[in-house]
Amino acid sequence: LQLTTSEDSVEAGDEAVGDDVGGNDKEKEKKDVTMPAIPEGNELEVEEDEVLAVCPEEDHNQVEKEIKAVKKEREQQVAAALQRAETIVESFQNVKVFGLTGSAEAALDKPKFENFFDAVFVSARAAHIVGQPFFKKILRSSSSQVEVEVEEEVNERKCVVAVENSKFLVPLSKDMRIGFDGKIKEYAETAGLQQIAAPVFRRRRDEKDLEDDVFFFS
């Protein structure tokens, strides 16, 4: 469960005014009023009246339009999430899931898994296995070719490895997180992997959330 707060939310009665406090110049006062940011997510319904309360009356129509646009976007996001949830069973058609017990090395360090996996996801708690000798052996090598003809060429397909980093390891200090993430990259280098840009979309909390939660390697 991730609990977040928006720094852009507007508290009741908050307003930003210019240097001419207490002046009688209405035109100056109107120019100095700063329109508050439109709240996001679950704050939207709670704070709509508060946002309008601190806006100049002549700006209410524009603010209401922006709030409606945010609401519509959120409704579309919820609808898309429900669609994904309703079709999750179909997405697993023709997919087999095998549960493995014991350590990763004991389960995977076997001849049948050598040069086997096209993609691997490793959680933050298991990130150390990336640096273990067996890990490199289970990845499909770049020499294994998948015959997909594009413009009369055969593309080589390398294994993609995704490793969850320290973003959500809340108990760690900033220095510990830097060390943790650096260790992941060291392990990847040991396995002969190079970091790549995320090949899939990663959800962000908002526009201020610029930090990746997963490192991708190939």
Side-chain angles (χ1 to χ4, degrees):
L1 176 64
Q2 181 188 357
L3 303 178
T4 61
T5 58
S6 173
E7 295 178 357
D8 294 332
S9 62
V10 180
E11 297 296 334
D14 284 355
E15 60 183 65
V17 297
D19 297 329
D20 189 17
V21 179
N24 294 323
D25 189 343
K26 293 184 179 180
E27 194 65 29
K28 171 67 175 174
E29 182 180 353
K30 184 173 70 174
K31 288 177 62 179
D32 286 340
V33 173
T34 301
M35 185 178 296
I38 301 300
E40 300 178 0
N42 295 329
E43 300 171 356
L44 192 60
E45 295 181 2
V46 177
E47 300 191 359
E48 179 174 347
D49 292 338
E50 296 176 7
V51 172
L52 294 174
V54 297
C55 287
E57 187 173 350
E58 59 268 29
D59 292 330
H60 281 195
N61 288 339
Q62 179 62 29
V63 172
E64 287 175 346
K65 288 180 181 179
E66 293 182 15
I67 290 175
K68 287 181 180 179
V70 174
K71 281 185 175 180
K72 183 176 180 180
E73 181 180 358
R74 179 163 176 76
E75 289 171 357
Q76 291 173 342
Q77 291 174 348
V78 172
L82 290 173
Q83 175 68 15
R84 290 194 298 271
E86 290 171 353
T87 58
I88 191 169
V89 175
E90 287 83 349
S91 67
F92 276 91
Q93 287 182 354
N94 301 319
V95 173
K96 293 182 179 180
V97 178
F98 298 91
L100 302 176
T101 59
S103 69
E105 183 175 10
L108 299 173
D109 192 9
K110 299 176 180 178
K112 66 178 180 179
F113 290 131
E114 289 186 11
N115 194 37
F116 186 77
F117 293 102
D118 294 301
V120 178
F121 183 92
V122 184
S123 70
R125 292 177 179 270
H128 61 280
I129 72 168
V130 178
Q132 295 181 356
F134 82 90
F135 189 79
K136 183 177 181 179
K137 294 190 296 183
I138 68 174
L139 308 180
R140 186 178 296 277
S141 67
S142 59
S143 61
S144 300
Q145 294 183 339
V146 178
E147 294 185 2
V148 179
E149 292 189 4
V150 178
E151 296 181 358
E152 299 181 355
E153 293 183 2
V154 177
N155 291 342
E156 289 188 346
R157 182 178 179 180
K158 297 182 179 180
C159 177
V160 175
V161 177
V163 186
E164 188 179 27
N165 61 31
S166 66
K167 180 175 182 177
F168 297 123
L169 295 182
V170 181
L172 300 187
S173 67
K174 183 177 181 180
D175 289 341
M176 293 170 68
R177 289 182 56 198
I178 292 174
F180 185 95
D181 291 343
K183 206 66 178 176
I184 291 175
K185 295 176 181 179
E186 286 183 22
Y187 291 149
E189 187 176 349
T190 299
L193 299 169
Q194 293 182 340
Q195 190 169 0
I196 61 173
V200 293
F201 172 73
R202 304 300 301 172
R203 289 189 62 186
R204 305 287 185 180
R205 184 176 66 248
D206 51 41
E207 68 278 1
K208 295 180 181 179
D209 183 12
L210 304 177
E211 186 179 359
D212 292 328
D213 60 332
V214 173
F215 292 146
F216 289 89
F217 303 93
S218 182

